[in-house]
């Protein structure tokens, strides 16, 4: 089985995205966090043993996305279409499958705790299940993979703590067999930044080392330990 890693991302820009972090960290620091998080996801894509798709938020960022992994063969740029996240994922999934990609592993750019073991576990689970989900501790998901087209996702409660359960129920409703991986974590709240100082302390990967240093500096500067 050759699975394709699909990185769904936004181009980091000051003042755009991660608004729950902006309220505590400010615009510039949040931008630095967003860039560091994206670098971690790209680090994972660099080590992926198979095709990679980068799906930027808009057509306007296609050329930017094309310059992110220039040393990696078999990288496809497939911009997202308008709509809510569920609609965008369905459209992206359809396009990729029409182009011959049948086993798709979707990640975002805000789960730096993902590691080689998580990806290996996902690929192993896909040997026995049609769909594999890795839930997030906050109720979302940090990885979603499938051999099958995703069912309609537009009505799911995206960006809420009910998303993971709703996605699982949706896939079960369409009679997909589901494998569930151990719960992971993503970065959405200020306290998540403080947590990285512990969680990435011994991670040797270069992008994670840079994120660790940034998280510790921001935690000290903004007294984020109080958020834990």
């Amino acid at each position: 089985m050759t699975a394709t890693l699909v990185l769904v991302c936004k181009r980091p820009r000051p003042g755009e995205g991660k608004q729950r972090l902006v309220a505590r960290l400010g615009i510039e620091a949040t931008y630095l966090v967003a860039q560091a998080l994206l670098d971690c996801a790209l680090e994972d894509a660099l080590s992926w043993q198979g095709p990679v798709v980068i799906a930027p938020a808009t057509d306007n960022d296609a050329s930017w996305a094309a310059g992110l992994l220039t040393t990696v063969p078999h990288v496809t740029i497939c911009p997202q279409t308008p709509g809510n996240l569920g609609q965008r994922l369905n459209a992206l999934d359809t396009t990729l499958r029409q182009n011959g990609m049948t086993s798709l592993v979707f990640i975002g750019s805000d789960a730096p705790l993902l590691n080689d073991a998580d990806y290996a576990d996902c690929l192993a689970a896909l040997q026995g299940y049609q769909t594999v989900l890795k839930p997030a501790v906050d109720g979302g998901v940090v990885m979603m993979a499938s051999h099958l087209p995703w069912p309609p996702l537009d009505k799911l409660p995206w960006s809420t703590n009910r998303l993971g359960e709703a996605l699982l129920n949706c896939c079960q409703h369409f009679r997909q067999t589901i494998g569930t991986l151990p719960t992971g974590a993503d970065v959405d709240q200020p306290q998540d930044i403080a947590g990285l100082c512990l969680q990435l302390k011994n991670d040797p990967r270069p992008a994670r080392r840079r994120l660790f240093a940034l998280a510790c500096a921001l935690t000290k500067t903004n007294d984020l330990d109080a958020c834990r």
Side-chain angles (χ1 to χ4, degrees), residues 20-163:
R20 285 174 284 188
L21 296 182
V22 169
R24 186 66 183 265
L25 302 181
I27 290 175
E28 183 60 27
T30 300
Y31 164 70
L32 295 176
V33 169
Q35 184 61 62
L37 290 171
L38 176 61
D39 289 344
C40 291
L42 293 172
E43 189 170 59
D44 292 352
L46 278 168
S47 63
W48 182 258
Q49 300 299 305
V52 172
V53 173
I54 301 178
T58 69
D59 280 323
N60 292 335
D61 289 331
S63 60
W64 163 79
L68 293 176
L69 292 175
T70 56
T71 62
V72 178
H74 311 303
V75 175
T76 300
I77 307 303
C78 188
Q80 300 169 51
T81 56
N84 67 32
L85 182 53
Q87 291 169 323
R88 287 183 276 132
L89 288 177
N90 279 136
L92 176 61
D93 187 69
T94 297
T95 297
L96 297 180
R97 294 184 188 282
Q98 287 174 345
N99 282 276
M101 303 177 195
T102 55
S103 295
L104 302 177
V105 179
F106 287 80
I107 62 170
S109 59
D110 58 357
L113 301 183
L114 287 174
N115 56 41
D116 290 344
D118 293 314
Y119 292 109
D121 288 347
C122 179
L123 294 177
L126 282 172
Q127 299 289 338
Y129 297 95
Q130 295 169 329
T131 296
V132 176
L133 304 175
K134 185 174 180 64
V137 67
D138 65 1
V141 291
V142 295
M143 186 187 299
M144 45 190 286
S146 189
H147 299 298
L148 301 177
W150 293 105
L153 303 175
D154 56 307
K155 303 299 184 184
L156 298 188
W158 298 98
S159 300
T160 75
N161 60 7
R162 297 179 288 111
L163 182 276

Side-chain angles (χ1 to χ4, degrees), residues 180-191:
T180 303
L181 301 178
T183 300
D186 52 17
V187 176
D188 287 316
Q189 303 284 355
Q191 59 266 32

Side-chain angles (χ1 to χ4, degrees), residues 169-192:
N169 291 338
C170 180
C171 293
Q172 289 177 331
H173 177 75
F174 280 82
R175 301 186 182 280
Q176 296 183 4
T177 59
I178 314 295
T180 303
L181 301 178
T183 300
D186 52 17
V187 176
D188 287 316
Q189 303 284 355
Q191 59 266 32
D192 299 330

Side-chain angles (χ1 to χ4, degrees), residues 24-25 29 213-225:
R24 186 66 183 265
L25 302 181
L214 175 62
C216 292
L218 292 174
T219 297
K220 181 177 180 180
T221 301
N222 294 276
D223 191 26
L224 293 180
D225 279 319

